[in-house]
Amino acid sequence: MTALTLRPIASRLPSNRAGVQIARTLVEVAMRAGGGVARGTAVTAVDEDGVVGEWVDATGRAQPTEAPGTEAGVVLYLHGSAYAICSARTHRGLASRLSRDAGTPVFVVDYRLAPEFPFPAAADDIERAYRWLLDQGYQPGSIVVAGDSAGGHLALDLVIDNARRSVPQPAAVVLFSPLIDLTFELAEGRERVRRDPMISAAGARSLTALYTSNEQPDIPRLRLAVEAGTLLPPFLVHAGGAEMLVADAEYLRDLLEANEGTCTLEIWPDQMHVFQALPRLSPEAGPALRRAAQFIRTELAHTAPKHSTP
């Protein structure tokens, strides 16, 4: 279905402000139609110290702001879509199901979007949100960073920057269909093997260029090289077998393992980009999200501070 609907629409939208506004509306409608918010979810908006986003909590426990860092940990979620389209609102359903399955509240960052706010606005907002969680009382070992698509690039940038600045790392990183190569050369290579049902590499590149247009692609915060000896948290990476960014997922695994990091890569056959967000379209969305939730619980159990019983 996506090859007959989403790709033709995406390929015809102009990569300018008008086209971006249309895309934002279409994606929000599609995300709502493809997967609703989990029952009993509490949503709390945040606009504090330059950090904008929302707490999404489907655990049924107290709101995370009442007792930071003292329960099962927290997920810091970095949404995708080419740095230009999505928001905390579009990802509320995905965040709610991840919160329910992992048993943790999720904070979704509403970072600034291109073309209104080009590089490095989004990356700076993510760094600010991570440090804000630390200031709120969350221990690094009680935080898992998760994200999809362009959120994958932002997540890798965050942990590389943490290592460079000697900021304590989160417990783990979970990525769905991560975008790593902003030149889209890897995606183009994959396209020659299998056509992506959602968008072409050229179309995705033109959107991402709204964020990076005035920068050289090989600057450190865009190319994201991992220097030898860099200590990074363990990664779980999901990619759909039908999407072009499976090439980026494989590249990320190789990059991490070449630097003695840990990365579990799972390629879900015949699935599209960020299929975890669309349970009404993809029967594999639920199992994949539960797999991610299991990884989150396991890593938090390894690293989160233990509290004694009174």
Side-chain angles (χ1 to χ4, degrees):
M1 185 187 75
T2 54
L4 299 176
T5 56
L6 294 179
R7 185 178 172 112
I9 293 172
S11 65
R12 287 176 171 80
L13 287 175
S15 296
N16 54 30
R17 289 178 185 267
V20 166
Q21 290 299 329
I22 294 171
R24 288 174 182 172
T25 300
L26 291 175
V27 169
E28 182 168 357
V29 170
M31 292 285 277
R32 286 182 179 178
V37 176
R39 182 172 300 185
T41 298
V43 178
T44 305
V46 171
D47 187 346
E48 180 180 329
D49 299 330
V51 176
V52 180
E54 58 185 37
W55 285 110
V56 179
D57 191 348
T59 66
R61 293 193 290 266
Q63 286 300 291
T65 50
E66 295 175 7
T70 63
E71 294 295 335
V74 64
V75 173
L76 176 65
Y77 198 90
L78 320 180
H79 70 76
S81 190
Y83 295 98
I85 293 175
C86 289
S87 67
R89 186 173 61 249
T90 63
H91 280 62
R92 190 177 293 166
L94 175 58
S96 71
R97 294 187 295 278
L98 184 60
S99 172
R100 177 196 62 201
D101 293 349
T104 66
V106 176
F107 183 71
V108 188
V109 188
D110 223 351
Y111 59 83
R112 291 169 292 173
L113 298 176
E116 296 90 341
F117 299 98
F119 175 84
D124 288 348
D125 288 352
I126 299 308
E127 178 188 353
R128 187 178 297 112
Y130 181 72
R131 291 177 182 251
W132 176 76
L133 283 179
L134 297 177
D135 291 342
Q136 295 294 303
Y138 287 95
Q139 296 300 310
S142 68
I143 302 171
V144 170
V145 175
D148 64 87
S149 197
H153 191 275
L154 290 168
L156 184 58
D157 173 68
L158 173 67
V159 294
I160 291 174
D161 195 58
N162 283 348
R164 185 166 50 241
R165 298 172 182 267
S166 299
V167 175
Q169 295 285 19
V173 179
V174 174
L175 301 179
F176 305 134
S177 302
L179 167 63
I180 303 298
D181 171 27
L182 298 188
T183 71
F184 286 87
E185 292 178 0
L186 292 173
E188 286 180 330
R190 175 64 181 178
E191 271 191 320
R192 289 191 285 271
V193 176
R194 183 171 184 175
R195 185 185 186 198
D196 191 297
M198 292 187 70
I199 193 171
S200 67
R205 183 192 296 112
S206 65
L207 278 173
T208 305
L210 298 173
Y211 180 64
T212 65
S213 58
N214 295 322
E215 306 293 337
Q216 294 298 316
D218 60 348
I219 66 173
R221 296 194 75 182
L222 295 181
R223 184 170 57 90
L224 299 185
V226 178
E227 297 181 3
T230 301
L231 296 178
L232 299 177
F235 279 64
L236 171 67
V237 178
H238 283 182
E243 66 170 316
M244 62 185 176
L245 291 190
V246 71
D248 288 54
E250 292 170 341
Y251 170 80
L252 175 58
R253 176 202 57 199
D254 295 345
L255 177 67
L256 294 170
E257 291 183 348
N259 288 275
E260 300 183 354
T262 300
C263 179
T264 300
L265 173 61
E266 298 181 359
I267 299 174
W268 292 71
D270 299 321
Q271 297 302 303
M272 63 183 178
H273 187 61
V274 197
F275 65 94
Q276 297 85 349
L278 305 170
R280 292 171 183 157
L281 296 179
S282 171
E284 300 300 325
L289 208 58
R290 289 191 291 273
R291 169 71 186 100
Q294 179 187 33
F295 178 84
I296 289 169
R297 291 193 303 269
T298 299
E299 295 304 322
L300 286 175
H302 287 163
T303 59
K306 303 298 186 292
H307 301 281
S308 60
T309 303

Short mmCIF file of all heavy atoms in Angstrom, two decimals, residues 104-147:
data_model
loop_
_atom_site.label_atom_id
_atom_site.label_comp_id
_atom_site.label_asym_id
_atom_site.label_seq_id
_atom_site.Cartn_x
_atom_site.Cartn_y
_atom_site.Cartn_z
N THR A 104 8.38 2.34 31.70
CA THR A 104 9.08 3.58 32.05
C THR A 104 8.35 4.77 31.41
O THR A 104 7.76 4.64 30.34
CB THR A 104 10.53 3.59 31.51
OG1 THR A 104 10.49 3.60 30.08
CG2 THR A 104 11.31 2.39 31.99
N PRO A 105 8.42 5.93 32.04
CA PRO A 105 7.95 7.13 31.36
C PRO A 105 8.88 7.48 30.20
O PRO A 105 10.06 7.11 30.21
CB PRO A 105 8.00 8.21 32.44
CG PRO A 105 9.01 7.72 33.42
CD PRO A 105 8.92 6.22 33.40
N VAL A 106 8.34 8.15 29.21
CA VAL A 106 9.10 8.55 28.04
C VAL A 106 9.02 10.07 27.91
O VAL A 106 7.93 10.64 27.94
CB VAL A 106 8.55 7.89 26.76
CG1 VAL A 106 9.29 8.40 25.52
CG2 VAL A 106 8.66 6.37 26.86
N PHE A 107 10.18 10.71 27.77
CA PHE A 107 10.18 12.15 27.49
C PHE A 107 10.54 12.34 26.02
O PHE A 107 11.63 11.98 25.58
CB PHE A 107 11.17 12.91 28.36
CG PHE A 107 11.12 14.39 28.11
CD1 PHE A 107 10.04 15.14 28.54
CD2 PHE A 107 12.13 15.05 27.42
CE1 PHE A 107 9.96 16.50 28.29
CE2 PHE A 107 12.07 16.40 27.16
CZ PHE A 107 10.97 17.13 27.60
N VAL A 108 9.60 12.89 25.24
CA VAL A 108 9.80 13.12 23.81
C VAL A 108 10.19 14.57 23.61
O VAL A 108 9.44 15.48 23.96
CB VAL A 108 8.52 12.81 23.01
CG1 VAL A 108 8.82 12.88 21.51
CG2 VAL A 108 7.95 11.45 23.37
N VAL A 109 11.37 14.78 23.04
CA VAL A 109 11.87 16.14 22.83
C VAL A 109 11.21 16.76 21.61
O VAL A 109 11.22 16.17 20.53
CB VAL A 109 13.40 16.15 22.65
CG1 VAL A 109 13.92 17.59 22.63
CG2 VAL A 109 14.09 15.34 23.73
N ASP A 110 10.65 17.93 21.77
CA ASP A 110 10.08 18.68 20.65
C ASP A 110 11.15 19.65 20.15
O ASP A 110 11.06 20.86 20.35
CB ASP A 110 8.82 19.43 21.10
CG ASP A 110 7.70 19.33 20.09
OD1 ASP A 110 7.93 18.84 18.97
OD2 ASP A 110 6.58 19.73 20.42
N TYR A 111 12.17 19.10 19.52
CA TYR A 111 13.28 19.94 19.09
C TYR A 111 12.87 20.83 17.90
O TYR A 111 11.91 20.55 17.19
CB TYR A 111 14.51 19.10 18.74
CG TYR A 111 14.32 18.06 17.66
CD1 TYR A 111 14.41 18.39 16.31
CD2 TYR A 111 14.09 16.72 17.99
CE1 TYR A 111 14.26 17.44 15.32
CE2 TYR A 111 13.94 15.75 17.01
CZ TYR A 111 14.03 16.11 15.68
OH TYR A 111 13.89 15.16 14.70
N ARG A 112 13.62 21.90 17.72
CA ARG A 112 13.32 22.85 16.66
C ARG A 112 13.57 22.23 15.29
O ARG A 112 14.49 21.45 15.11
CB ARG A 112 14.17 24.11 16.83
CG ARG A 112 13.81 24.94 18.04
CD ARG A 112 14.84 26.02 18.31
NE ARG A 112 16.11 25.41 18.75
CZ ARG A 112 17.24 26.11 18.94
NH1 ARG A 112 17.25 27.42 18.68
NH2 ARG A 112 18.33 25.51 19.35
N LEU A 113 12.70 22.58 14.33
CA LEU A 113 12.71 21.96 13.02
C LEU A 113 13.24 22.90 11.94
O LEU A 113 13.11 24.12 12.03
CB LEU A 113 11.29 21.52 12.64
CG LEU A 113 10.61 20.48 13.53
CD1 LEU A 113 9.19 20.25 13.06
CD2 LEU A 113 11.39 19.17 13.58
N ALA A 114 13.81 22.30 10.90
CA ALA A 114 14.16 23.01 9.68
C ALA A 114 12.89 23.13 8.81
O ALA A 114 11.97 22.33 8.94
CB ALA A 114 15.25 22.26 8.94
N PRO A 115 12.83 24.09 7.91
CA PRO A 115 13.89 25.06 7.58
C PRO A 115 13.94 26.27 8.50
O PRO A 115 14.85 27.08 8.38
CB PRO A 115 13.51 25.50 6.16
CG PRO A 115 12.01 25.42 6.15
CD PRO A 115 11.67 24.21 6.99
N GLU A 116 12.98 26.38 9.43
CA GLU A 116 12.98 27.53 10.32
C GLU A 116 14.24 27.59 11.18
O GLU A 116 14.77 28.67 11.44
CB GLU A 116 11.74 27.51 11.22
CG GLU A 116 10.41 27.63 10.48
CD GLU A 116 9.83 26.29 10.07
OE1 GLU A 116 10.59 25.29 10.02
OE2 GLU A 116 8.62 26.21 9.82
N PHE A 117 14.71 26.41 11.59
CA PHE A 117 15.87 26.35 12.48
C PHE A 117 16.87 25.33 11.93
O PHE A 117 16.73 24.13 12.17
CB PHE A 117 15.44 25.96 13.90
CG PHE A 117 14.50 26.93 14.52
CD1 PHE A 117 13.13 26.69 14.51
CD2 PHE A 117 14.96 28.09 15.11
CE1 PHE A 117 12.25 27.59 15.08
CE2 PHE A 117 14.10 28.99 15.68
CZ PHE A 117 12.74 28.75 15.67
N PRO A 118 17.86 25.77 11.16
CA PRO A 118 18.83 24.85 10.57
C PRO A 118 19.86 24.37 11.60
O PRO A 118 19.86 24.78 12.76
CB PRO A 118 19.49 25.69 9.47
CG PRO A 118 19.37 27.10 9.97
CD PRO A 118 18.07 27.16 10.71
N PHE A 119 20.76 23.48 11.14
CA PHE A 119 21.85 22.96 11.96
C PHE A 119 22.60 24.11 12.64
O PHE A 119 22.85 25.13 12.01
CB PHE A 119 22.81 22.18 11.06
CG PHE A 119 24.05 21.69 11.75
CD1 PHE A 119 24.03 20.50 12.46
CD2 PHE A 119 25.22 22.42 11.70
CE1 PHE A 119 25.18 20.04 13.10
CE2 PHE A 119 26.37 21.97 12.33
CZ PHE A 119 26.35 20.77 13.04
N PRO A 120 22.94 23.95 13.93
CA PRO A 120 22.83 22.75 14.78
C PRO A 120 21.66 22.82 15.78
O PRO A 120 21.77 22.25 16.88
CB PRO A 120 24.15 22.76 15.53
CG PRO A 120 24.40 24.23 15.77
CD PRO A 120 23.86 24.94 14.54
N ALA A 121 20.56 23.48 15.43
CA ALA A 121 19.49 23.71 16.39
C ALA A 121 18.97 22.41 17.00
O ALA A 121 18.84 22.29 18.22
CB ALA A 121 18.34 24.47 15.72
N ALA A 122 18.64 21.42 16.17
CA ALA A 122 18.10 20.16 16.69
C ALA A 122 19.09 19.46 17.60
O ALA A 122 18.74 18.99 18.69
CB ALA A 122 17.69 19.25 15.54
N ALA A 123 20.35 19.38 17.16
CA ALA A 123 21.37 18.70 17.97
C ALA A 123 21.57 19.41 19.30
O ALA A 123 21.72 18.77 20.35
CB ALA A 123 22.69 18.65 17.19
N ASP A 124 21.56 20.74 19.29
CA ASP A 124 21.70 21.50 20.53
C ASP A 124 20.52 21.25 21.46
O ASP A 124 20.68 21.15 22.69
CB ASP A 124 21.82 22.99 20.22
CG ASP A 124 23.15 23.36 19.60
OD1 ASP A 124 24.08 22.52 19.61
OD2 ASP A 124 23.27 24.49 19.09
N ASP A 125 19.32 21.14 20.90
CA ASP A 125 18.13 20.89 21.73
C ASP A 125 18.19 19.52 22.39
O ASP A 125 17.75 19.35 23.53
CB ASP A 125 16.87 21.01 20.87
CG ASP A 125 16.56 22.44 20.49
OD1 ASP A 125 17.22 23.37 21.00
OD2 ASP A 125 15.65 22.64 19.66
N ILE A 126 18.72 18.53 21.68
CA ILE A 126 18.84 17.19 22.25
C ILE A 126 19.86 17.19 23.39
O ILE A 126 19.62 16.61 24.46
CB ILE A 126 19.23 16.17 21.17
CG1 ILE A 126 18.17 16.10 20.07
CG2 ILE A 126 19.48 14.81 21.79
CD1 ILE A 126 16.76 15.89 20.56
N GLU A 127 20.98 17.82 23.17
CA GLU A 127 21.99 17.90 24.23
C GLU A 127 21.43 18.60 25.47
O GLU A 127 21.63 18.16 26.61
CB GLU A 127 23.22 18.66 23.72
CG GLU A 127 24.30 18.83 24.78
CD GLU A 127 25.43 19.74 24.34
OE1 GLU A 127 25.44 20.14 23.16
OE2 GLU A 127 26.27 20.06 25.18
N ARG A 128 20.67 19.67 25.23
CA ARG A 128 20.06 20.40 26.34
C ARG A 128 19.06 19.53 27.10
O ARG A 128 19.01 19.56 28.33
CB ARG A 128 19.38 21.67 25.81
CG ARG A 128 18.86 22.61 26.89
CD ARG A 128 18.25 23.86 26.27
NE ARG A 128 19.24 24.62 25.53
CZ ARG A 128 19.24 24.77 24.21
NH1 ARG A 128 18.29 24.21 23.48
NH2 ARG A 128 20.17 25.48 23.62
N ALA A 129 18.27 18.74 26.37
CA ALA A 129 17.28 17.89 27.03
C ALA A 129 17.95 16.81 27.87
O ALA A 129 17.49 16.49 28.98
CB ALA A 129 16.37 17.25 25.97
N TYR A 130 19.03 16.23 27.37
CA TYR A 130 19.73 15.20 28.14
C TYR A 130 20.30 15.78 29.43
O TYR A 130 20.14 15.19 30.52
CB TYR A 130 20.85 14.58 27.29
CG TYR A 130 21.61 13.48 27.99
CD1 TYR A 130 21.02 12.24 28.20
CD2 TYR A 130 22.92 13.67 28.43
CE1 TYR A 130 21.71 11.21 28.85
CE2 TYR A 130 23.61 12.66 29.08
CZ TYR A 130 23.01 11.43 29.28
OH TYR A 130 23.69 10.43 29.93
N ARG A 131 20.92 16.92 29.34
CA ARG A 131 21.48 17.55 30.54
C ARG A 131 20.37 17.99 31.49
O ARG A 131 20.55 17.96 32.72
CB ARG A 131 22.36 18.73 30.15
CG ARG A 131 23.64 18.30 29.44
CD ARG A 131 24.48 19.50 28.99
NE ARG A 131 25.66 19.08 28.28
CZ ARG A 131 26.91 19.16 28.76
NH1 ARG A 131 27.11 19.64 29.97
NH2 ARG A 131 27.94 18.77 28.04
N TRP A 132 19.22 18.35 30.94
CA TRP A 132 18.08 18.72 31.78
C TRP A 132 17.60 17.53 32.59
O TRP A 132 17.30 17.66 33.79
CB TRP A 132 16.96 19.25 30.89
CG TRP A 132 15.69 19.59 31.60
CD1 TRP A 132 15.42 20.70 32.37
CD2 TRP A 132 14.47 18.82 31.57
NE1 TRP A 132 14.12 20.66 32.83
CE2 TRP A 132 13.52 19.53 32.36
CE3 TRP A 132 14.10 17.63 30.97
CZ2 TRP A 132 12.22 19.06 32.55
CZ3 TRP A 132 12.81 17.16 31.15
CH2 TRP A 132 11.89 17.87 31.93
N LEU A 133 17.54 16.35 31.98
CA LEU A 133 17.17 15.16 32.73
C LEU A 133 18.15 14.89 33.86
O LEU A 133 17.75 14.54 34.99
CB LEU A 133 17.10 13.94 31.81
CG LEU A 133 15.87 13.81 30.91
CD1 LEU A 133 15.99 12.55 30.06
CD2 LEU A 133 14.58 13.78 31.71
N LEU A 134 19.45 15.06 33.59
CA LEU A 134 20.43 14.89 34.65
C LEU A 134 20.20 15.90 35.77
O LEU A 134 20.27 15.55 36.97
CB LEU A 134 21.85 15.03 34.09
CG LEU A 134 22.29 14.00 33.05
CD1 LEU A 134 23.69 14.32 32.54
CD2 LEU A 134 22.24 12.59 33.61
N ASP A 135 19.90 17.13 35.41
CA ASP A 135 19.63 18.17 36.40
C ASP A 135 18.36 17.88 37.20
O ASP A 135 18.22 18.31 38.35
CB ASP A 135 19.51 19.54 35.74
CG ASP A 135 20.84 20.05 35.19
OD1 ASP A 135 21.89 19.52 35.60
OD2 ASP A 135 20.81 20.95 34.33
N GLN A 136 17.41 17.16 36.57
CA GLN A 136 16.17 16.80 37.26
C GLN A 136 16.39 15.71 38.31
O GLN A 136 15.50 15.44 39.12
CB GLN A 136 15.12 16.31 36.25
CG GLN A 136 14.64 17.36 35.27
CD GLN A 136 13.88 18.48 35.94
OE1 GLN A 136 12.89 18.25 36.61
NE2 GLN A 136 14.37 19.69 35.77
N GLY A 137 17.53 15.10 38.31
CA GLY A 137 17.83 14.07 39.29
C GLY A 137 17.95 12.67 38.73
O GLY A 137 18.23 11.73 39.48
N TYR A 138 17.78 12.50 37.43
CA TYR A 138 17.95 11.18 36.84
C TYR A 138 19.44 10.85 36.76
O TYR A 138 20.24 11.66 36.30
CB TYR A 138 17.34 11.13 35.44
CG TYR A 138 15.84 11.11 35.46
CD1 TYR A 138 15.10 12.28 35.31
CD2 TYR A 138 15.14 9.92 35.64
CE1 TYR A 138 13.72 12.27 35.34
CE2 TYR A 138 13.76 9.90 35.66
CZ TYR A 138 13.06 11.07 35.52
OH TYR A 138 11.70 11.05 35.57
N GLN A 139 19.80 9.66 37.21
CA GLN A 139 21.16 9.20 37.06
C GLN A 139 21.38 8.76 35.61
O GLN A 139 20.45 8.26 34.96
CB GLN A 139 21.42 8.02 38.00
CG GLN A 139 21.31 8.39 39.47
CD GLN A 139 22.30 9.46 39.86
OE1 GLN A 139 23.50 9.35 39.56
NE2 GLN A 139 21.83 10.51 40.53
N PRO A 140 22.60 8.91 35.06
CA PRO A 140 22.84 8.49 33.68
C PRO A 140 22.44 7.04 33.43
O PRO A 140 21.87 6.72 32.38
CB PRO A 140 24.35 8.69 33.51
CG PRO A 140 24.71 9.72 34.53
CD PRO A 140 23.79 9.51 35.68
N GLY A 141 22.69 6.17 34.41
CA GLY A 141 22.36 4.76 34.25
C GLY A 141 20.89 4.45 34.30
O GLY A 141 20.49 3.31 34.07
N SER A 142 20.07 5.46 34.58
CA SER A 142 18.61 5.26 34.57
C SER A 142 17.96 5.88 33.34
O SER A 142 16.74 5.95 33.25
CB SER A 142 17.98 5.85 35.84
OG SER A 142 18.08 7.26 35.85
N ILE A 143 18.78 6.31 32.37
CA ILE A 143 18.29 6.93 31.14
C ILE A 143 18.63 6.04 29.95
O ILE A 143 19.77 5.60 29.79
CB ILE A 143 18.90 8.32 30.91
CG1 ILE A 143 18.60 9.25 32.08
CG2 ILE A 143 18.39 8.92 29.60
CD1 ILE A 143 19.35 10.58 32.02
N VAL A 144 17.64 5.77 29.11
CA VAL A 144 17.87 5.14 27.81
C VAL A 144 17.47 6.14 26.74
O VAL A 144 16.39 6.74 26.80
CB VAL A 144 17.05 3.85 27.64
CG1 VAL A 144 17.11 3.35 26.19
CG2 VAL A 144 17.55 2.77 28.59
N VAL A 145 18.35 6.37 25.79
CA VAL A 145 18.05 7.24 24.65
C VAL A 145 17.49 6.37 23.53
O VAL A 145 18.06 5.33 23.18
CB VAL A 145 19.30 7.99 24.17
CG1 VAL A 145 19.00 8.80 22.91
CG2 VAL A 145 19.83 8.90 25.28
N ALA A 146 16.35 6.79 22.99
CA ALA A 146 15.74 6.07 21.87
C ALA A 146 15.34 7.07 20.79
O ALA A 146 15.17 8.26 21.07
CB ALA A 146 14.51 5.28 22.33
N GLY A 147 15.20 6.58 19.57
CA GLY A 147 14.81 7.48 18.50
C GLY A 147 14.60 6.74 17.20
O GLY A 147 14.89 5.55 17.08
#
